[in-house]
Amino acid sequence: MATPSMEDYLERIYKLIDEKGYARVSDIAEGLEVHPSSVTKMIQKLDKDHYLIYEKYRGLMLTPKGKKMGKRLVDRHLLLENFLTVIGVQEDNIYKDVEGIEHHLSWDSITCIETLLEYFRRDPNRMEDLVNIRKEIDAES
């Protein structure tokens, strides 16, 4: 089972490879705001756990297991951003809030949030009702 830290690395590596075609230690370190030596240690652990294949001075490749997990983590992140947007969280708070909660929700909770978003997507009137309720609550506060 991947730790929250491992998940952060896998998510970042997956995104870098998806965007650039490769992931360098320096890019990972910059994106996660950690030292390159920390990245190297985590890459070695992810290699040992078969999430990626790492060859010193040659780079890394995600294994099928790593790609699957990376995609799942990126999708989870986007789902939570969408969820917080839908329920009216201020845009300035969304990224920080997602980072704070994404590792603490079960996959069951993620699936339920996904279902709720689909519920709103299928009928725009539901979304309008939610916005009106939020306005009522804000007015009472």
Side-chain angles (χ1 to χ4, degrees), residues 2 4 10 16 27 29-31 43 45 57 64 66 77 81 91 96 100 108 113-115 121 123 130 137-138:
L10 281 169
L16 282 168
D27 295 329
E30 181 182 323
I43 286 174
K45 180 163 180 38
Y57 307 116
H77 191 99
E81 283 184 353
E91 190 174 333
K96 181 180 61 108
D108 180 48
I113 290 169
E114 187 173 33
T115 303
R121 189 194 66 75
D123 185 350
L130 179 67
I137 290 171
D138 285 347

Side-chain angles (χ1 to χ4, degrees), residues 41-52:
K41 286 178 190 171
M42 181 58 79
I43 286 174
Q44 290 168 343
K45 180 163 180 38
L46 292 169
D47 183 20
K48 182 177 159 255
D49 290 347
H50 308 290
Y51 288 104
L52 55 82

Side-chain angles (χ1 to χ4, degrees), residues 30 36-37 40 57 63 93:
E30 181 182 323
S37 60
T40 301
Y57 307 116
T63 63
N93 296 327

Side-chain angles (χ1 to χ4, degrees), residues 1-10 42 73 76 103-104:
M1 187 60 138
T3 65
S5 181
M6 290 169 74
E7 287 182 350
D8 285 339
Y9 278 86
L10 281 169
M42 181 58 79
L73 296 169
R76 175 184 72 185
H103 302 296
H104 302 286

